């Protein structure tokens, strides 16, 4: 058996344990500001010595050693309940909790928080991106036997998570671990060292002006005509539409104010605050929207009279309600839009793409980025220009034609910058 080597002063202690492994220990700086004895382990003296040397070097450079014995599952449960719930919107919190429960906890649940490394997170994200989640989460297996149709029957449906889901997992881990750093539970945020390759960007092609015209024409005999007018012409979000109150609409001056939204959160329809601070905004109403809203008010009054004692208006004064006065289920608006699109003969797009349509039409008609940002309630111009504006091929060709006209010229325009009479000059 190899004999332990003698260590120099202040180097710590290295000895062989009864189980054959080597243990090195030394007093190092911890996250609570005190010095405590901490151990490292290796299969040989050299391995233990290397780990101990790194431990002491980190301590000497001011990098504290974590002492928390909490598992990742325990910490994330604490973070969700005590931190995330109070900082994010209810819908965002529901998404956080679902992703942690279905993805992170099954992978890292029993692992100690202080043992989590960047390579663990990177491997987890790569594995998740390539794993059928119907198989991993037993989605098909949870169905009644007569309704099972894929993975439970040995026919994998290859239901891979989206690129957005994988990136959102990294966002959650970064946020949770950063809070642990702030509370001195961890010396550093290892998730910040993880980078993902640029994923494929989802191509969004909003409706053209002709398609938008056909859609709105077909919507005129629809109960939600005003909702479609507001979505296409001023780009309101689905939740903003369904949460809109008559007190937020001034039909005389033609102004609409976004103050709240209606969303389904945890199986319950709730009135929530707008998505961001800038989402709370005032927007001028086009004449067509005013006309549609007047028709909506008349329709709602007729519905209330027809329903009589069965009218279930909540007193919130919502603009868009069912025939009985109850709030409209967000998914039912999606279904109504799909049916309307088919009847109007327009391409199949998401309801949210009507918001993209509004932005692109404004952009094509010469509206500046700042104005579009204010209308849509974006937090920055970058979001408006990078995500919501779409330059069509016809617009590109038109721009190229104008450039071609300028290059051809007719001899009457101003000279270019190549010098007098087009003669090259030294610079």
């Amino acid at each position: 058996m190899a004999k332990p080597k003698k260590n120099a002063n202040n180097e710590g202690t290295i000895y062989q344990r009864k189980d054959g492994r080597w243990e090195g220990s030394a007093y190092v700086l911890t996250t609570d500001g005190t010095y405590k004895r901490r151990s490292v382990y290796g299969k040989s003296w050299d391995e233990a010595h290397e780990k101990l040397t790194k431990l002491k070097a980190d301590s000497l450079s001011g990098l504290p050693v974590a002492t928390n014995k909490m598992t990742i599952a325990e910490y994330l449960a604490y973070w969700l309940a005590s931190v995330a719930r109070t900082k994010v919107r209810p819908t965002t919190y529901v998404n956080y909790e679902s992703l942690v429960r279905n993805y992170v906890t099954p992978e890292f649940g029993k692992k100690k928080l202080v043992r989590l490394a960047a390579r663990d997170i990177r491997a987890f994200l790569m594995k998740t991106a390539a794993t059928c989640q119907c198989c991993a989460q037993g989605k098909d297996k949870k169905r009644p036997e007569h309704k099972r149709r894929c993975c439970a029957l040995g026919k994998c449906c290859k239901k891979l998570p989206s690129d957005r889901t994988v990136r959102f997992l990294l966002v959650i881990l970064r946020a949770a671990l950063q809070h642990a750093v702030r509370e001195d539970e961890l010396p550093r945020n290892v998730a910040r060292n993880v980078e993902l390759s640029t994923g494929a960007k989802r191509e969004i092609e909003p409706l053209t002006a002709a398609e938008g015209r056909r859609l709105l024409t077909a919507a005129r005999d629809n109960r939600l005509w005003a909702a479609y007018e507001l979505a296409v012409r001023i780009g309101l979000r689905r939740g903003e539409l369904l949460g809109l109150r008559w007190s937020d609409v001034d039909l005389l001056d033609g102004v609409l104010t976004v103050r709240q939204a209606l969303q389904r959160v945890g199986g319950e329809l709730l009135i929530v605050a707008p998505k961001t601070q800038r989402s709370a905004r005032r927007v001028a109403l086009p004449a067509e929207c005013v006309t549609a809203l007047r028709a909506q008010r008349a329709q709602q009054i007729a519905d209330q009279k027809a329903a009589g004692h069965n009218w279930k208006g909540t007193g919130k004064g919502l603009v868009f309600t069912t025939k009985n006065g109850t709030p409209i289920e967000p998914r039912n608006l999606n279904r109504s839009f799909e049916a309307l699109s088919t009847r109007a003969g327009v391409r199949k797009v998401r309801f949210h793409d009507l918001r993209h349509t509004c932005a692109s039409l404004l952009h094509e008609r010469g509206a500046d980025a700042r104005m579009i940002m204010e209308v849509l309630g974006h937090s920055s111009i970058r979001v408006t220009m990078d995500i919501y504006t779409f330059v069509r091929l016809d617009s590109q060709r038109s721009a190229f034609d104008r450039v071609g006209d300028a290059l051809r010229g007719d001899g009457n325009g101003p000279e270019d910058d190549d010098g007098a009479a087009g003669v090259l000059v030294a610079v």
Side-chain angles (χ1 to χ4, degrees):
M1 182 175 65
K3 294 182 179 180
K5 299 178 182 179
K6 186 176 181 180
N7 300 321
N9 290 337
N10 299 323
E11 188 176 348
T13 303
I14 301 178
Y15 63 94
Q16 191 170 27
R17 296 160 49 96
K18 292 182 179 180
D19 60 7
R21 292 186 301 163
W22 290 83
E23 178 178 348
S25 60
Y27 281 94
V28 293
L29 179 66
T30 60
T31 51
D32 61 5
T34 63
Y35 282 82
K36 295 181 180 179
R37 195 171 185 85
R38 288 291 173 263
S39 298
V40 293
Y41 305 90
K43 295 179 180 179
S44 65
W45 186 94
D46 289 329
E47 184 180 351
H49 179 265
E50 181 180 353
K51 291 182 178 180
L52 185 61
T53 300
K54 183 178 184 304
L55 185 69
K56 289 181 63 63
D58 288 343
S59 178
L60 290 172
S61 64
L63 185 64
V65 176
T67 58
N68 194 307
K69 295 183 179 181
M70 192 179 293
T71 65
I72 293 175
E74 291 170 341
Y75 178 75
L76 288 177
Y78 153 74
W79 177 76
L80 284 170
S82 303
V83 182
R85 185 185 289 273
T86 61
K87 292 180 66 176
V88 301
R89 302 172 75 231
T91 49
T92 304
Y93 173 79
V94 169
N95 288 335
Y96 278 13
E97 190 279 330
S98 175
L99 289 171
V100 167
R101 171 168 41 84
N102 292 317
Y103 292 87
V104 183
T105 300
E107 180 73 16
F108 293 132
K110 296 181 180 179
K111 190 178 184 71
K112 297 295 184 183
L113 180 64
V114 298
R115 298 293 184 188
L116 185 64
R119 62 178 176 273
D120 298 326
I121 298 175
R122 191 178 300 108
F124 158 65
L125 296 176
M126 292 177 64
K127 174 185 173 183
T128 299
T131 302
C132 171
Q133 293 306 306
C134 184
C135 293
Q137 300 178 27
K139 293 181 179 180
D140 192 44
K141 190 176 182 179
K142 294 176 183 177
R143 298 186 179 110
E145 287 191 22
H146 67 283
K147 291 187 178 182
R148 294 175 183 175
R149 56 178 180 267
C150 51
C151 299
L153 303 177
K155 303 175 183 177
C156 182
C157 60
K158 303 294 182 183
K159 190 179 178 70
L160 302 180
S162 66
D163 181 72
R164 182 176 181 273
T165 296
V166 175
R167 292 180 180 279
F168 208 37
L169 288 170
L170 180 56
V171 168
I172 291 173
L173 288 171
R174 282 177 176 171
L177 296 183
Q178 189 59 38
H179 187 77
V181 173
R182 283 195 292 268
E183 292 192 335
D184 292 330
E185 300 289 353
L186 291 175
R188 61 187 179 279
N189 185 350
V190 295
R192 297 182 67 177
N193 297 330
V194 178
E195 294 183 356
L196 294 176
S197 59
T198 303
K201 187 177 180 180
R202 181 181 181 273
E203 290 294 332
I204 299 173
E205 185 173 354
L207 300 181
T208 63
E211 289 175 318
R213 195 179 308 118
R214 290 205 304 273
L215 181 76
L216 294 180
T217 299
R220 290 186 69 88
D221 59 353
N222 189 291
R223 284 183 56 82
L224 298 173
W225 170 39
Y228 296 120
E229 289 282 353
L230 293 173
V232 174
R233 296 185 188 275
I234 64 174
L236 290 193
R237 298 178 177 93
R238 182 182 67 176
E240 293 170 349
L241 282 168
L242 300 182
L244 187 66
R245 298 168 297 186
W246 288 113
S247 59
D248 300 326
V249 180
D250 185 340
L251 296 180
L252 186 62
D253 292 334
V255 178
L256 180 149
T257 305
V258 177
R259 293 191 175 96
Q260 63 181 30
L262 178 74
Q263 294 182 340
R264 179 163 288 282
V265 181
E268 183 180 2
L269 281 177
L270 297 178
I271 295 294
V272 298
K275 186 175 182 179
T276 65
Q277 288 185 342
R278 282 192 175 274
S279 294
R281 61 199 187 278
R282 296 176 75 240
V283 185
L285 283 172
E288 296 84 354
C289 291
V290 172
T291 300
L293 284 168
R294 291 187 188 279
Q296 173 64 22
R297 174 171 282 177
Q299 174 186 280
Q300 194 175 71
I301 292 173
D303 287 342
Q304 186 171 1
K305 289 181 179 179
H309 295 297
N310 294 324
W311 181 258
K312 299 178 181 178
T314 58
K316 295 178 180 178
L318 295 179
V319 173
F320 299 105
T321 58
T322 64
K323 292 182 179 180
N324 293 325
T326 57
I328 293 177
E329 170 65 45
R331 289 186 179 181
N332 286 342
L333 178 57
N334 289 352
R335 296 185 183 102
S336 171
F337 173 62
E338 290 174 4
L340 177 64
S341 298
T342 300
R343 187 156 57 88
V346 301
R347 285 179 293 114
K348 184 178 179 180
V349 296
R350 303 171 305 167
F351 184 86
H352 189 75
D353 290 337
L354 296 182
R355 185 169 161 82
H356 292 268
T357 298
C358 172
S360 292
L361 291 177
L362 287 172
H363 180 61
E364 290 170 3
R365 267 57 184 178
D368 63 78
R370 181 74 187 185
M371 193 274 277
I372 300 174
M373 183 191 81
E374 294 292 344
V375 169
L376 298 182
H378 286 152
S379 57
S380 70
I381 288 181
R382 180 178 178 181
V383 174
T384 304
M385 300 309 295
D386 287 354
I387 300 176
Y388 279 84
T389 54
F390 179 84
V391 181
R392 303 181 193 281
L393 291 177
D394 289 344
S395 298
Q396 294 180 24
R397 291 190 182 99
S398 177
F400 292 149
D401 288 343
R402 291 195 295 272
V403 172
D405 292 341
L407 292 175
R408 282 190 296 272
D410 56 7
N412 298 323
E415 298 292 342
D416 57 27
D417 294 331
D418 286 341
V423 179
L424 295 177
V425 296
V427 294

